[in-house]
Amino acid sequence: MSGPQRGELPTRVVITAPAWVRLISLPLMLAFWVGCVMGLVGLVRDGAGEDTPLLAAVVGWVLVLFFVLVIPPAAWFVLRYRTVLDVEGDRVERQPGAVSVPVSTLRELRALPPSTLNRANRGARVQVIGENGGVVAQVDESMRQWPAALAVLRAWARRDPSLVEGDYSRAALLGSDA
């Protein structure tokens, strides 16, 4: 977990999809979608071909229709994704989905140490757990906004230490105050 942030506490931290996701995945999604639409037009105009087995034709239709219908909402999700940690409003907001949870109703702030999952290294992260036990938001060490978000989460933890359970979470979020 990184050290304490120096300077003034940010009042609002907005976490968006990483820039590489927007710059690389969106053009790739667009190119793949255009290819699927062209394939769909070809299927509608020419059919699958006389020598194509029925099962292969059905699978082709289903896959092309699936990708034509799924890629636009996926791109919309990437463009609209944002998590807002608002100190002044005392809220956690997440889009899409219009989730807005007051800090006073949170159950826990859970810090998780770096770990290895299927030979992939995961950095430290903090989960914001809602009153129903579900994860409202998660802030990862790999995010560009990590230092500012961690400062906000630490401020919430200092304000209400009952939100922090477990030794690792206390050490990470409350530091020497634990």
Side-chain angles (χ1 to χ4, degrees), residues 9 11-13 18 22 45 51-52 65 70 74 76 88-89 97 106 119 141 149 160-161 165 169:
L9 178 68
T11 58
R12 183 176 167 101
V13 177
R22 291 176 185 230
R45 187 182 42 190
D51 296 336
T52 305
L65 280 172
V70 167
W76 176 82
E88 290 178 354
L106 293 179
R119 291 188 273 172
E141 189 175 32
D160 186 2
E165 299 175 8
S169 294

Side-chain angles (χ1 to χ4, degrees), residues 1 110-114 124-125 164-173:
M1 207 53 71
R110 181 183 303 154
L112 301 170
R125 54 208 180 282
V164 184
E165 299 175 8
D167 294 336
Y168 183 82
S169 294
R170 273 194 285 286
L173 296 174

Side-chain angles (χ1 to χ4, degrees), residues 54-67:
L54 179 62
L55 182 60
V58 169
V59 168
W61 274 96
V62 168
L63 284 176
V64 168
L65 280 172
F66 174 77
F67 286 123

Side-chain angles (χ1 to χ4, degrees), residues 28-49:
L28 289 175
M29 291 168 81
L30 178 64
F32 186 69
W33 186 78
V34 168
C36 287
V37 168
M38 290 172 50
L40 185 61
V41 168
L43 278 173
V44 169
R45 187 182 42 190
D46 303 330

